């Protein structure tokens, strides 16, 4: 009797273990992409490893976002699902191999965007820089470069530029960091 109970327990454990492996299988053909606390107007972009956009959609409703994708037709490679928010970009990376998708890590990557503000003749730039990436700032006046500077070394990068009140017209600031470019035009 003890042998039968022991064999039944071992068999039950074996079936339970097998079912657990099937249910937690990482590679799937369809994938649900989820983000919490999205706002209407934010965008979801899916890019390949070369930065080519394969999907782009503007979020229509605020709250939690969930969409199921069939990535089985994508070429083999690493892709990223990027939620472009007001001040940050949240990135989930995944691998497509033979039509099956596997997420590469459980933790979302975050890239903080630079903040560009103007107050009169002042140009204020700041960026949270936890990943220690340099911030290249280029300032143009009437399409002519007037300043190029690279900021680095701090967890919060910030700079205030005082522009000439005599040089009124159209300015453009272009900021590059984290392999991305941001720009803003303004007048003084």
């Amino acid at each position: 009797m003890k042998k039968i109970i022991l064999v039944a327990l071992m068999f039950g454990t074996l079936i339970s273990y097998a079912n657990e492996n099937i249910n937690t299988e990482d590679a799937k053909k369809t994938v649900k992409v989820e983000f919490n606390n999205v706002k209407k107007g934010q965008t979801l972009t899916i890019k390949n490893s070369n930065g080519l956009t394969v999907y782009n959609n503007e979020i229509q409703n605020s709250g939690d976002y969930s969409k199921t994708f069939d990535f089985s037709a994508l070429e083999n490679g690493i892709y990223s699902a990027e939620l472009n928010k007001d001040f940050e970009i949240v990135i989930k990376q995944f691998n497509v191999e033979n039509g099956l998708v596997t997420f590469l890590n459980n933790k979302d990557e975050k890239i903080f965007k630079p903040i560009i503000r103007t107050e009169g003749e002042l140009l204020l730039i700041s960026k949270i820089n936890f990943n220690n990436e340099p911030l290249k700032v280029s300032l143009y006046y009437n399409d002519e470069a007037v300043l190029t500077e690279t900021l680095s070394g701090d967890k919060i990068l910030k700079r205030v530029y005082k522009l000439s009140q005599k040089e009124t017209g159209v300015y453009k600031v272009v900021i590059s960091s984290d392999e991305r470019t941001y720009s803003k035009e303004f007048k003084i």
Side-chain angles (χ1 to χ4, degrees), residues 14-183:
L14 184 61
I15 290 173
S16 173
Y17 180 73
N19 285 338
E20 183 176 299
N21 284 343
I22 292 169
N23 291 335
T24 61
E25 190 173 88
D26 290 336
K28 301 181 187 313
K29 288 189 178 197
T30 60
V31 175
K32 184 185 283 189
V33 175
E34 297 177 316
F35 290 99
N36 297 326
N37 301 320
V38 301
K39 291 183 182 175
K40 182 178 180 178
Q42 295 175 345
T43 57
L44 173 64
T45 305
I46 297 176
K47 297 179 180 180
N48 67 12
S49 60
N50 296 323
L52 180 67
T53 299
V54 296
Y55 175 84
N56 190 39
N57 187 40
E58 185 174 304
I59 305 295
Q60 299 301 314
N61 299 309
S62 296
D64 292 339
Y65 178 84
S66 177
K67 182 168 176 84
T68 302
F69 292 92
D70 181 356
F71 292 132
S72 62
L74 292 177
E75 294 180 12
N76 289 350
I78 296 175
Y79 293 82
S80 62
E82 301 181 358
L83 178 63
N84 195 335
K85 299 176 97 174
D86 296 333
F87 301 107
E88 67 183 352
I89 300 169
V90 181
I91 303 168
K92 296 177 185 269
Q93 287 195 324
F94 58 93
N95 184 45
V96 175
E97 189 170 332
N98 300 323
L100 297 176
V101 177
T102 306
F103 279 90
L104 297 180
N105 55 35
N106 292 331
K107 188 175 181 184
D108 297 343
E109 177 187 353
K110 290 185 181 182
I111 295 176
F112 292 96
K113 295 178 176 181
I115 310 287
I116 305 168
R117 296 183 307 138
T118 57
E119 293 179 11
E121 72 275 358
L122 297 178
L123 170 63
L124 300 101
I125 297 173
S126 61
K127 181 180 183 304
I128 296 173
N129 191 35
F130 292 139
N131 54 1
N132 293 319
E133 288 291 322
L135 182 75
K136 182 180 177 187
V137 178
S138 299
L139 181 64
Y140 300 87
Y141 173 66
N142 292 331
D143 294 327
E144 183 179 324
V146 293
L147 171 93
T148 299
E149 179 180 23
T150 301
L151 308 175
S152 63
D154 293 324
K155 295 295 181 196
I156 298 179
L157 302 173
K158 54 189 172 185
R159 186 73 84 222
V160 177
Y161 301 96
K162 183 171 172 57
L163 307 174
S164 173
Q165 292 178 339
K166 296 177 186 176
E167 301 292 331
T168 60
V170 177
Y171 287 83
K172 181 178 182 179
V173 62
V174 178
I175 297 177
S176 300
S177 184
D178 302 302
E179 299 178 8
R180 297 167 189 273
T181 301
Y182 312 87
S183 66

